[in-house]
Amino acid sequence: MTRVRLLVFNPALPVLDYRLPAGLAVEFGQLVMAPLGPRQVLGIVWEPERLGGDEVPESKLRPILEVLPVPPLSTPLRRLIEWCADYYVAPINAVARMALGSMAALRGGGTTTEYRLSGEEPKRLTPQRAAAMDALHGEQASIRELAEYAGVSEGVLRGMVGAGILEPVTVDLDRPYPQARPDFAQPKLSEAQQAAADRFVSAVKEHKFVPFLLDGVTGSGKTECYFEAVAEAIREKRQVLVLLPEIALTENFLRRFEARFGVPPILWHSSLKQSERRRAWRAIVSGQAQVVVGARSALFMPYRQLGLIVVDEAHEVSFKQDDGVRYNARDVAVIRARFESIPVILASATPALESLQLAEAGVYTKIDLPDRFGGATLPDVSIVDLRKEAPERGRWLAPRLVEEMRERLARGEQSLLFLNRRGYAPLTLCRHCGYRFQCPNCSAWLVEHRLSRRLACHHCGHEVPPPEACPECQTPDCLVACGPGVERIADEVAEVLPDARVAVVTSDTLNSPEKISEFVAAAEEKLIDVIVGTQIVTKGYHFPELTLVGVVDADLGLEGGDLRAAERTYQQVAQVAGRAGRGEKPGEVLIQTRHPEAAVIAALAAGDRDAFYEAEAEARKDAFAPPFGRWAAIIVSSEDEAEARDAARAIGGTRPDLPDVMVLGPAPAPLSLLRGRYRYRLLINARRSAKLQDVIRAWLAPLQFAQGVRVSVDIDPYSFV
Ligand code: ADP
Ligand code: ZN
């Protein structure tokens, strides 16, 4: 080939043609540098007929400059990128961007310099240096990363390098990872587990696309089963990707992985240090990385040869990305497995209705693990009807729940209280004038966090210290908290059970791997009697002495009125219930609610999962909701309210008139102001017969908007705010 078509990373010009200079050879998927005006751009060599683009006369072509020294993106990955761009109505270069590491990683390995404390005791310390020394204990990273981490300027740290307090360390970016050993510690599987593992192992051996739905109750040993498939892929010298929903899960998971395979897996997530990112990306693309465990972004990495994908806790909503390219990693994982011709395992105790339907339709192969491992039984669930058993005034825990906790405390067992609300109280107002503290950038209340003494917005991160007086009426000491968050529940536990040792567990308190390890160790050593936590405690943890779970407010999730509210409530409560009674002692679950008659609560109480899914399926059928129909959203935003409204109206004004596509809106979004941008939404409900993406593309293509307007399409949306 003498001319090449490139996918380039320029929003306005995604496809450009170039000439291949004599002596330079390229393959499809290769990463190259090319001239664009006075600058250079990164490009990916692509099959020309798959991209479209204008035919440029031969004479006008400029030559590409350089082929980067990394292997080409594989054909299955290129097909996946095209598929995602098409399905999610997203720019193809935005999708492709997710496969790339940093520019430095593309340039080659070599070494980089990082810094760490030298152990030298300085004679005299400025307060800033002292603070930095405290913060940087055990850390090693670039000056920039350390400065951010310690909250001091880079200048301060450079001074500390000069004074010998910090020392440079040379890091080899291509140093190999230790090799996992498939037979390091093989567990003895139960009969049901072995049967499941055998199915997975033979699919891995056959290098065949098989989508599995591993549907097993909490504590059934799903992880042990898919570890056998991981082991087989390692034996076959193929790579494995394990997607986990949250970083919180990894700590626990890493320990188990290491116990099984002798070494930790390779991590991929957004808060990796730069040198770790470069090293991991290079090991992934070279094939040296055997098992990668990561959040959803790990899905688009350029694995050299995948042998297996696992999506653990596959029902989790955090697999859905809600900015940039709005994709669902669970669904894309299945598509990637198809292009790679490998098995994919979706593991869950509470699968999404969509996944169950696909299993029923025979698209997914369903593997069941109906029993807990080792004879542990599922906990007994009972309902606390808050209308009949009301907590005392100003309290949130019903007397029966407190009594059960008291008994656990007396027996030396542990309790877990679940409330999916961070902070002390979701709303703060002035007792005198009723002023409500609202975020200046979002249409949302500021949430009081007493432990860290601040009022914070959970959408944009804006925070202020609690003021001494009301900003409206100037009355001092006038703030009242409305409603409970986990911190307030923890205070209540301290009042009713003064001897109990209470731990608040949220993403605020467990914000580093060290803190997670400390928490797990403390809980295992029984240094904690009562855990009060958000959804971060609903999965992954295994505390044998935990015998009581209290759901503080089961109605909370049902209020939002969003499409999947009932399903999400079911999943969350079932998952947190699954923390109880995992050891030899049986567990008990108390669910506080004002709506015991709601189908989801009744199903939870009866332990009748099928009844819940049946009711849910009926409701969705009636609404033509997924999987029986399809949804999409168009979100219009601008810093200028009128601009956003006009753009939304223009879109609404040219809505397609089709029998199988219904358009709702435009209307101001429930979060009508987010991070300083005004937002409008249109919601599209389509029958399965409609070619939804084509309809949306044809609809939006001719429209032009003011400069500051952003229009994004959300296919199969999860968020309705
Ligand atoms: P799940 O993911 O289905 O909730 P896990 O894989 O976490 O279940 O297993 C629950 C607990 O039982 C874990 O502590 C795990 O180590 C243990 N376990 C499961 N299967 C076995 C086995 N075959 N041998 C030993 N321990 C097992
Ligand atoms: Zn905000």
Side-chain angles (χ1 to χ4, degrees):
M1 87 183 128
T2 57
R3 68 188 283 158
V4 285
R5 185 156 289 177
L6 301 186
L7 185 65
V8 294
F9 296 95
N10 178 314
L13 299 165
V15 179
L16 290 173
D17 284 359
Y18 288 89
R19 185 164 55 77
L20 192 63
L24 213 53
V26 291
E27 293 172 48
F28 292 130
Q30 208 118 41
L31 298 162
V32 300
M33 297 305 294
L36 183 64
R39 294 178 301 116
Q40 289 190 11
V41 286
L42 175 66
I44 308 174
V45 181
W46 215 272
E47 291 90 330
E49 68 281 4
R50 295 188 150 267
L51 283 184
D54 303 324
E55 280 300 323
V56 181
E58 202 78 28
S59 59
K60 285 208 179 160
L61 294 180
R62 298 175 71 185
I64 64 169
L65 301 170
E66 180 193 2
V67 178
L68 294 173
V70 282
L73 301 189
S74 67
T75 308
L77 179 54
R78 294 200 305 284
R79 298 298 84 84
L80 181 80
I81 290 168
E82 291 164 0
W83 184 92
C84 281
D86 184 61
Y87 186 87
Y88 291 111
V89 193
I92 187 167
N93 52 3
V95 180
R97 159 87 58 211
M98 299 192 285
L100 302 182
S102 62
M103 211 46 228
L106 303 178
R107 281 278 171 208
T111 60
T112 185
T113 304
E114 294 187 336
Y115 294 84
R116 65 179 176 209
L117 291 175
S118 63
E120 189 103 346
E121 280 299 325
K123 296 192 184 62
R124 207 175 48 81
L125 267 186
T126 63
Q128 273 191 320
R129 286 189 179 183
M133 281 190 73
D134 271 350
L136 297 183
H137 204 79
E139 297 294 327
Q140 177 181 315
S142 70
I143 290 285
R144 193 163 53 82
E145 286 164 337
L146 292 180
E148 198 166 292
Y149 190 80
V152 298
S153 74
E154 294 181 32
V156 169
L157 296 188
R158 293 236 158 72
M160 289 169 70
V161 176
I165 305 170
L166 285 173
E167 64 181 6
V169 187
T170 302
V171 178
D172 173 6
L173 287 170
D174 282 343
R175 70 192 185 286
Y177 289 95
Q179 296 291 290
R181 290 155 56 188
D183 305 310
F184 182 75
Q186 201 148 10
K188 179 141 182 37
L189 298 182
S190 72
E191 213 168 293
Q193 288 176 337
Q194 190 63 55
D198 289 347
R199 300 285 299 272
F200 301 149
V201 166
S202 57
V204 170
K205 274 190 178 143
E206 286 169 32
H207 305 173
K208 203 169 80 178
F209 170 57
V210 190
F212 288 106
L213 178 60
L214 174 56
D215 183 357
V217 297
T218 53
S220 57
K222 294 186 286 297
T223 319
E224 309 294 340
C225 289
Y226 74 67
F227 272 179
E228 292 313 296
V230 173
E232 185 56 29
I234 297 173
R235 286 185 205 108
E236 301 261 316
K237 308 233 176 325
R238 286 179 158 231
Q239 293 168 294
V240 179
L241 165 62
V242 180
L243 287 179
L244 295 176
E246 265 159 55
I247 294 318
L249 255 176
T250 56
E251 187 51 30
N252 193 33
F253 184 87
L254 297 187
R255 287 200 305 174
R256 280 182 75 175
F257 188 95
E258 189 165 354
R260 172 67 182 81
F261 295 106
V263 299
I266 293 161
L267 274 179
W268 184 270
H269 55 77
S270 56
S271 43
L272 284 184
K273 284 185 304 183
Q274 207 155 31
S275 65
E276 291 169 335
R277 273 185 109 66
R278 277 160 73 176
R279 182 182 177 208
W281 191 86
R282 293 183 58 78
I284 288 169
V285 81
S286 74
Q288 205 262 326
Q290 293 168 299
V291 183
V292 176
V293 174
R296 57 184 184 235
S297 60
L299 182 56
F300 289 93
M301 291 297 102
Y303 301 94
R304 191 174 177 83
Q305 180 150 61
L306 270 179
L308 170 71
I309 303 176
V310 177
V311 185
D312 203 350
E313 308 285 1
H315 61 279
E316 268 293 308
V317 293
S318 65
F319 284 120
K320 176 69 169 65
Q321 171 149 308
D322 274 331
D323 50 20
V325 179
R326 295 167 182 260
Y327 67 96
N328 188 323
R330 176 199 67 202
D331 300 341
V332 179
V334 175
I335 302 296
R336 179 152 197 179
R338 198 181 77 201
F339 284 126
E340 304 269 359
S341 297
I342 57 171
V344 53
I345 302 170
L346 308 181
S348 176
T350 53
L353 186 65
E354 284 93 330
S355 303
L356 284 172
Q357 291 281 328
L358 284 165
E360 210 160 277
V363 180
Y364 290 176
T365 302
K366 193 156 171 291
I367 307 277
D368 294 307
L369 289 177
D371 302 310
R372 279 191 158 178
F373 177 75
T377 51
L378 282 169
D380 271 338
V381 178
S382 50
I383 298 295
V384 178
D385 184 343
L386 290 174
R387 295 168 310 183
K388 295 186 188 135
E389 304 178 57
E392 283 173 43
R393 251 182 86 88
R395 296 217 160 136
W396 315 96
L397 305 176
R400 179 146 61 100
L401 178 53
V402 174
E403 226 19 72
E404 293 288 347
M405 290 169 64
R406 200 187 308 280
E407 277 178 28
R408 294 310 184 291
L409 185 63
R411 291 208 296 262
E413 296 171 7
Q414 294 167 318
S415 306
L416 165 66
L417 294 178
F418 169 68
L419 177 66
N420 205 18
R421 241 196 215 146
R422 290 152 56 206
Y424 185 84
L427 168 66
T428 301
L429 43 80
C430 167
R431 174 190 338 266
H432 190 69
C433 73
Y435 174 83
R436 296 166 164 217
F437 285 81
Q438 196 178 353
C439 176
N441 314 317
C442 307
S443 38
W445 307 127
L446 292 181
V447 177
E448 183 185 2
H449 287 248
R450 281 210 182 158
L451 294 175
S452 53
R453 284 197 46 77
R454 63 201 167 103
L455 294 170
C457 171
H458 287 180
H459 297 285
C460 72
H462 170 85
E463 49 181 64
V464 289
E468 311 272 318
C470 171
E472 189 75 15
C473 69
Q474 317 302 333
T475 311
D477 289 329
C478 64
L479 305 190
V480 269
C482 295
V486 281
E487 291 178 9
R488 195 171 198 177
I489 298 297
D491 278 4
E492 184 172 333
V493 174
E495 278 169 38
V496 294
L497 303 174
D499 297 332
R501 295 159 300 178
V502 185
V504 174
V505 178
T506 71
S507 54
D508 301 303
T509 61
L510 294 198
N511 53 12
S512 70
E514 293 74 36
K515 291 201 178 133
I516 295 170
S517 308
E518 275 168 33
F519 161 66
V520 170
E524 283 174 352
E525 286 162 32
K526 293 217 276 175
L527 301 174
I528 300 174
D529 300 308
V530 180
I531 300 166
V532 184
T534 56
Q535 56 152 352
I536 202 170
V537 296
T538 58
K539 52 198 165 289
Y541 297 112
H542 180 78
F543 301 131
E545 293 297 325
L546 197 139
T547 59
L548 174 69
V549 165
V551 177
V552 176
D553 184 354
D555 309 332
L556 195 60
L558 293 173
E559 285 159 8
D562 100 39
L563 162 67
R564 292 185 179 79
E567 180 178 37
R568 206 168 303 173
T569 296
Y570 184 83
Q571 289 166 335
Q572 256 177 12
V573 175
Q575 292 283 344
V576 72
R579 297 312 107 201
R582 290 170 73 95
E584 283 166 9
K585 299 171 184 164
E588 196 177 346
V589 179
L590 293 189
I591 300 177
Q592 300 198 135
T593 176
R594 292 178 184 284
H595 302 287
E597 72 292 342
V600 43
I601 306 286
L604 283 163
D608 191 348
R609 196 179 93 152
D610 293 346
F612 168 71
Y613 280 114
E614 268 164 39
E616 183 66 10
E618 278 311 308
R620 297 238 196 135
K621 228 176 243 168
D622 289 345
F624 288 100
F628 307 102
R630 304 185 54 201
W631 290 95
I634 299 175
I635 303 128
V636 184
S637 71
S638 166
E639 287 176 16
D640 184 280
E641 159 124 65
E643 227 176 61
R645 189 178 51 231
D646 291 348
R649 282 192 185 147
I651 296 173
T654 58
R655 70 182 61 215
D657 183 15
L658 296 169
D660 49 2
V661 175
M662 189 173 68
V663 180
L664 305 167
L671 255 172
S672 58
L673 179 66
L674 179 64
R675 295 185 202 97
R677 299 181 72 87
Y678 293 89
R679 303 167 76 244
Y680 283 77
R681 291 181 68 100
L682 294 100
L683 197 56
I684 301 141
N685 183 211
R687 299 292 150 86
R688 298 213 64 97
S689 57
K691 293 221 174 332
L692 182 57
Q693 285 87 345
D694 291 344
V695 169
I696 293 174
R697 261 189 291 266
W699 177 10
L700 296 181
L703 296 173
Q704 293 208 316
F705 305 105
Q707 270 242 297
V709 170
R710 214 150 52 205
V711 175
S712 42
V713 174
D714 192 357
I715 301 288
D716 311 333
Y718 271 63
S719 161
F720 289 80
V721 298

